[in-house]
């Protein structure tokens, strides 16, 4: 049975009672017996949403309040709170993606990739990142893409059994991420 590239990158393991879900970053054991959450973290970045997106959440709450304004003050207050909260939840969830190099693994969003399966890393400037997001993109690639982060890192996947050609990771500090992957490689072997 053929798996999709994102399924190949995820390695599932039975969850322990203390783990909130099987897809949580710490739920899968690393090859050393320690979970990535307890392993040495050499790089950790949260791709949080820009500040003005939070302002848009507030404005969406105001818009929801104006929609229900004809029904009175209490529904208007409910519209403000519920509309703003719903928009804030969406912004928070989209901006909660993390990239970490922990132990012998690269954790990007929900994907967990052993460092031994990764090849060369290429730092992409904003123009190159845009090209790899559009006309140069391979549909089999794993992409942790955040349009509000202009730079990225492209990492080759060298595992012959994985059809994923590369990982595209939006990151604010691609040089640091590439250095962390290189520094953690000797420990992964």
């Amino acid at each position: 049975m053929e798996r999709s590239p994102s399924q190949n990158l995820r390695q599932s393991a039975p969850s322990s009672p203390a783990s909130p879900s099987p897809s949580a970053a710490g739920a899968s054991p690393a090859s050393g017996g320690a979970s990535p959450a307890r392993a040495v973290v050499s790089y950790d970045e949260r791709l949080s949403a820009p500040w003005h997106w939070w302002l848009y959440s507030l404005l969406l709450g105001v818009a929801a309040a104006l929609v229900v304004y004809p029904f009175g003050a209490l529904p208007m207050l409910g519209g403000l709170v519920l509309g703003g909260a719903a928009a804030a939840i969406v912004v928070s969830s989209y901006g909660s993606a993390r990239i970490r190099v922990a132990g012998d693994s690269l954790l990007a969003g929900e994907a967990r990739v052993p460092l031994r399966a990764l090849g060369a890393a290429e730092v992409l400037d904003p123009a190159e990142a845009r090209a790899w997001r559009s006309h140069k993109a391979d549909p089999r690639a794993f992409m942790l893409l955040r349009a509000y982060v202009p730079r990225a890192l492209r990492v080759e996947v060298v595992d012959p059994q994985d059809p994923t050609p590369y990982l595209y990771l939006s990151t604010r500090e691609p040089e640091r991420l590439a250095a962390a992957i290189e520094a953690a490689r000797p420990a992964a072997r």
Side-chain angles (χ1 to χ4, degrees):
M1 180 171 143
E2 186 171 325
R3 299 184 301 177
S4 72
S6 62
Q7 287 173 326
N8 285 338
L9 290 174
R10 293 185 191 129
Q11 297 179 352
S12 61
S15 63
S16 65
S19 299
S21 70
S23 65
S28 300
S31 63
S35 71
R38 288 184 219 112
V40 175
V41 177
S42 57
Y43 182 86
D44 190 359
E45 177 182 10
R46 184 173 300 276
L47 300 176
S48 55
W51 66 269
H52 61 274
W53 284 30
W54 296 99
L55 179 62
Y56 297 153
S57 297
L58 176 65
L59 292 176
L60 281 171
V62 170
L66 291 174
V67 167
V68 295
Y69 172 73
F71 300 109
L74 195 57
M76 187 172 83
L77 182 61
L80 175 68
V81 170
L82 292 176
I89 288 170
V90 169
V91 169
S92 176
S93 115
Y94 190 70
S96 67
R98 288 177 78 177
I99 300 173
R100 297 187 318 158
V101 177
D104 66 345
S105 298
L106 169 68
L107 295 107
E110 301 236 346
R112 179 177 175 270
V113 185
L115 293 176
R116 68 182 177 279
L118 298 178
E122 176 186 359
V123 174
L124 304 175
D125 63 14
E128 264 310 289
R130 190 173 23 264
W132 281 102
R133 285 193 306 259
S134 57
H135 65 277
K136 286 185 175 181
D138 187 325
R140 299 172 301 153
F142 174 81
M143 300 183 97
L144 180 59
L145 172 65
R146 294 298 182 263
Y148 52 82
V149 179
R151 300 180 69 206
L153 185 71
R154 187 169 95 46
V155 186
E156 302 273 336
V157 176
V158 294
D159 183 1
Q161 295 179 337
D162 191 345
T164 308
Y166 60 88
L167 309 174
Y168 176 97
L169 306 171
S170 291
T171 175
R172 291 182 175 97
E173 301 181 39
E175 294 87 2
R176 270 192 60 222
L177 177 55
I181 291 171
E182 281 303 313
R185 253 187 241 272
R189 293 174 198 235

